[in-house]
């Protein structure tokens, strides 16, 4: 089979996610035959460095032998059993280990099977907690401008990226939106910390006015990924934790994209304050299984758990469920992932890789069409602009980011920009040489994209 064969079959029957299917006339999907480490290989033998970790999920490379083995062993033991009324060792062991690894106070793991579902769980649990404790008047959520939390209706509602949300607005619950602490918006000469601290005033004002009707604040800690990889200072999280406590509102940390080492620590919440902060809910998915299998977890506290623990007849239980909740194969992949983190001392290794990423793109910061090169840990983003001095973006209809994508493919790299933001969020098995290659490809791609 060749690329052309599979593309022809694909385009007859598959409707791709996040895709205007008419675009496939000029840009057909890249048919992947196999993966190994950072590499994806198509049916014609072309290879691509997976610089975006296949939508931010892959952590230890494709077809990682240790993770493969663990899943194979699990496959011969138990492929699936429902988690209501039943249990299995991988779900128990994974919950035990995550209780140890996540911030203090997160003592309960509620399983689901994708990121959006973990967000739905957190939203429903927060609302339901307040209801069970005599506060049925709390029905609203506060989110951040430019945030993203998934595509199901509840998760979409608490996001703020128009491209995904606007069409469905009539169907969605209405959050209260605080200004994003996005540091790309800061004035010249203002530090990340000063900017994030100043923008917090907007959140404080919303809480002061609406805490009585608000269940929770939901945020992506440190890094708004789908919102063009915009970043902010950890001081914002510290202020937010303190304010949520003061106003009696839950804090939901959506670490679906940033968890498992992406920001330089195992979880982004660890970077806030001297000892990190503990949210009331922490949503995990993506890197949880190193990109192998769909799984998500909403971690929460004893306090939340206790509000649901009651005689059945009082009908206070949390009845949310999905068929594949806590699937044993996925839990096995997650356990192997945690083992890999330990075995490789990956968080320490990533400090060096992050420095290589910074070095590989350093010259781009001076480019007349680069508004900013920014980085948080293992995520590096390059903002392409029409005019550097004013920060004026290109007209989005010109779709210049796609030119970078196409150039990168021709040079053996998968760089899938978000609009005009090119970013690296690679698997941690990437080498310094491969990072250097990505830097060169990105620079060439940007040069092509901005000319004419
Ligand atoms: N939250 C964040 C921060 C995300 O980046 C994503 C996925 N990009 C989600 C939630 C939704 O996860 P999923 O795509 O698995 O539903």
């Amino acid at each position: 089979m060749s690329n052309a064969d599979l593309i022809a079959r694909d385009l007859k029957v598959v409707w791709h996610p996040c895709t205007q299917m008419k675009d496939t006339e000029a840009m057909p999907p890249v048919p992947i035959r196999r993966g190994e480490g950072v590499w994806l290989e198509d049916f014609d033998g072309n290879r691509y460095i997976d610089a975006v970790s296949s939508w931010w999920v892959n952590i230890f490379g494709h077809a990682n032998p240790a993770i493969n083995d663990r899943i194979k062993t699990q496959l011969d033991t138990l492929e699936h059993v429902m988690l209501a009324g039943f249990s299995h060792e991988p779900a128990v062991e994974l919950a035990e280990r995550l209780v140890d690894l996540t911030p203090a106070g997160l003592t309960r793991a509620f399983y689901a099977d994708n990121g959006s579902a973990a967000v739905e769980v957190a939203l429903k649990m927060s609302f339901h907690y307040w209801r069970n404790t005599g506060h049925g008047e709390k029905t609203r959520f506060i989110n951040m401008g430019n945030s993203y939390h998934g595509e199901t209706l509840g998760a979409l509602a608490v996001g703020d990226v128009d491209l995904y949300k606007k069409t469905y607005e009539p169907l969605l619950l209405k959050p209260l939106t605080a200004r994003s602490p996005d540091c790309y918006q800061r004035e010249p000469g203002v530090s990340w910390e000063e900017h994030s601290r100043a923008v917090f005033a907007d959140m404080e004002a919303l809480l002061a006015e609406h805490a009585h009707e608000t269940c929770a604040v939901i945020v992506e800690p440190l890094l708004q990924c789908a919102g063009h990889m915009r970043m902010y200072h950890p001081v914002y999280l510290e202020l937010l934790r303190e304010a949520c406590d003061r106003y009696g509102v839950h804090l939901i940390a959506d670490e679906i994209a940033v968890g498992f080492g992406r920001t330089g620590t195992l979880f982004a919440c660890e970077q806030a304050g001297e000892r990190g902060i503990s949210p009331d809910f922490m949503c995990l998915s993506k890197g949880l299984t190193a990109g192998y299998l769909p799984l998500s977890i909403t971690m929460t506290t004893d306090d939340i758990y206790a509000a649901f623990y009651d005689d059945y007849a009082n009908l206070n239980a949390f009845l949310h469920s999905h068929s594949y909740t806590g699937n044993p194969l996925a839990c096995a992949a997650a356990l192997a992932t945690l083992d890999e983190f330990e075995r490789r001392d990956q968080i320490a290794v990533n400090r060096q890789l992050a420095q290589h990423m910074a070095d590989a793109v350093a010259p781009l910061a001076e480019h007349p069409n680069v508004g900013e090169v920014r980085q948080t840990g293992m995520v590096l983003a390059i903002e392409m602009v029409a005019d550097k001095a004013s920060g004026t973006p290109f007209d989005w209809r010109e779709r210049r980011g796609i030119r970078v994508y196409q150039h990168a493919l021709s040079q053996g790299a998968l760089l899938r920009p978000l609009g005009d933001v090119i970013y690296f969020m690679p698997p941690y098995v990437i080498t310094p040489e491969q990072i250097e290659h990505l830097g060169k490809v990105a620079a060439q791609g940007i040069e092509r994209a901005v000319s004419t």
Side-chain angles (χ1 to χ4, degrees):
M1 186 152 38
S2 68
N3 279 0
D5 296 334
L6 197 76
I7 290 167
R9 284 170 58 192
D10 175 298
L11 293 179
K12 282 200 185 114
V13 290
V14 180
W15 189 342
H16 288 264
C18 206
T19 300
Q20 168 48 261
M21 289 302 289
K22 189 161 191 268
D23 279 356
T24 61
E25 291 174 13
M27 272 188 305
V30 183
I32 297 301
R33 188 174 70 86
R34 60 187 293 275
E36 186 181 355
V38 294
W39 295 103
L40 293 168
E41 188 180 314
D42 70 18
F43 283 77
D44 294 347
N46 303 305
R47 302 207 308 159
Y48 313 93
I49 297 176
D50 187 355
V52 299
S53 296
S54 289
W55 262 349
W56 324 336
V57 298
N58 194 290
I59 297 259
F60 293 118
H62 297 277
N64 175 294
I67 304 174
N68 286 5
D69 283 349
R70 183 94 182 219
I71 295 172
K72 285 176 190 165
T73 305
Q74 183 61 42
L75 187 59
D76 286 332
T77 314
L78 175 68
E79 82 301 337
H80 187 65
V81 63
M82 62 185 183
L83 207 57
F86 290 81
S87 187
H88 55 82
E89 196 177 357
V92 174
E93 188 185 340
L94 181 58
E96 287 169 346
R97 289 177 70 175
L98 286 173
V99 166
D100 284 345
L101 288 169
T102 53
L106 296 172
T107 52
R108 286 278 163 185
F110 189 96
Y111 283 99
D113 53 15
N114 66 75
S116 303
V119 169
E120 301 284 346
V121 166
L123 298 175
K124 285 175 69 180
M125 244 185 211
S126 174
F127 163 79
H128 200 161
Y129 167 93
W130 292 115
R131 196 168 181 277
N132 281 359
T133 55
H135 291 286
E137 74 282 2
K138 282 183 179 273
T139 56
R140 305 199 70 177
F141 295 93
I142 297 178
N143 68 349
M144 244 182 208
N146 191 44
S147 55
Y148 180 92
H149 298 289
E151 298 289 342
T152 53
L153 292 178
L156 191 63
V158 293
D160 185 53
V161 179
D162 269 358
L163 182 63
Y164 310 118
K165 178 171 174 178
K166 213 174 164 88
T167 309
Y168 306 100
E169 204 79 64
L171 303 180
L172 303 176
L173 55 89
K174 308 259 175 285
L176 299 151
T177 303
R179 188 178 157 200
S180 168
D182 165 18
C183 288
Y184 185 58
Q185 308 290 343
R186 74 197 188 282
E187 295 296 324
V190 174
S191 72
W192 280 34
E193 177 168 0
E194 287 162 343
H195 179 76
S196 299
R197 200 180 270 282
V199 171
F200 186 76
D202 197 50
M203 176 67 82
E204 174 82 35
L206 269 185
L207 281 165
E209 192 180 344
H210 296 283
H212 65 283
E213 54 173 339
T214 299
C215 302
V217 175
I218 180 165
V219 297
E220 293 162 277
L222 301 188
L223 174 54
Q224 299 188 305
C225 292
H228 296 108
M229 295 293 167
R230 296 292 173 84
M231 302 172 184
Y232 60 93
H233 192 274
V235 73
Y236 191 96
L237 297 175
E238 202 183 340
L239 296 170
L240 181 59
R241 175 68 278 182
E242 186 278 324
C244 284
D245 284 343
R246 188 157 33 88
Y247 285 107
V249 167
H250 293 144
L251 175 57
I252 303 172
D254 175 352
E255 294 230 12
I256 288 163
V258 298
F260 300 98
R262 293 292 183 195
T263 66
T265 43
L266 191 58
F267 301 108
C269 282
E270 293 169 29
Q271 294 182 42
E274 289 193 358
R275 288 189 302 278
I277 56 147
S278 296
D280 300 284
F281 300 92
M282 183 183 268
C283 303
L284 302 172
S285 189
K286 292 192 187 276
L288 173 62
T289 64
Y292 264 71
L293 287 159
L295 183 72
S296 64
I297 299 184
T298 305
M299 300 293 299
T300 193
T301 64
D302 282 348
D303 178 42
I304 305 283
Y305 180 75
F308 294 81
Y309 198 88
D310 201 355
D311 293 331
Y312 183 81
N314 292 334
L315 296 178
N316 282 333
F318 190 63
L319 298 182
H320 187 105
S321 64
H322 298 283
S323 312
Y324 285 103
T325 287
N327 172 262
L329 294 169
C331 290
L335 289 167
T337 302
L338 296 182
D339 287 346
E340 285 291 88
F341 267 103
E342 276 177 28
R343 190 177 68 80
R344 297 164 180 257
D345 196 9
Q346 193 64 50
I347 298 295
V349 172
N350 282 358
R351 275 182 219 118
Q352 284 159 27
L353 289 175
Q355 187 56 51
H356 284 301
M357 281 166 52
D359 295 345
V361 299
L364 270 175
E366 305 309 320
H367 193 285
N369 294 104
V370 170
E372 182 177 68
V373 176
R374 54 180 172 268
Q375 184 174 12
T376 297
M378 287 296 287
V379 184
L380 184 144
I382 306 158
E383 183 102 22
M384 257 194 323
V385 291
D387 181 63
K388 194 182 186 82
S390 61
T392 310
F394 285 110
D395 184 334
W396 64 268
R397 292 174 201 83
E398 294 169 7
R399 304 181 75 187
R400 288 173 189 260
I402 287 179
R403 300 188 205 170
V404 181
Y405 169 72
Q406 287 177 315
H407 173 73
L409 279 182
S410 76
Q411 301 300 309
L414 165 45
L415 289 175
R416 193 177 198 266
L418 291 155
D420 288 342
V421 174
I422 305 18
Y423 67 92
F424 306 158
M425 192 161 170
Y428 306 157
V429 293
I430 196 162
T431 64
E433 295 71 36
Q434 289 162 345
I435 290 173
E436 218 170 282
H437 180 64
L438 292 181
K440 285 198 189 111
V441 170
Q444 293 160 357
I446 289 169
E447 209 50 66
R448 285 176 175 232
V450 300
S451 54
T452 70

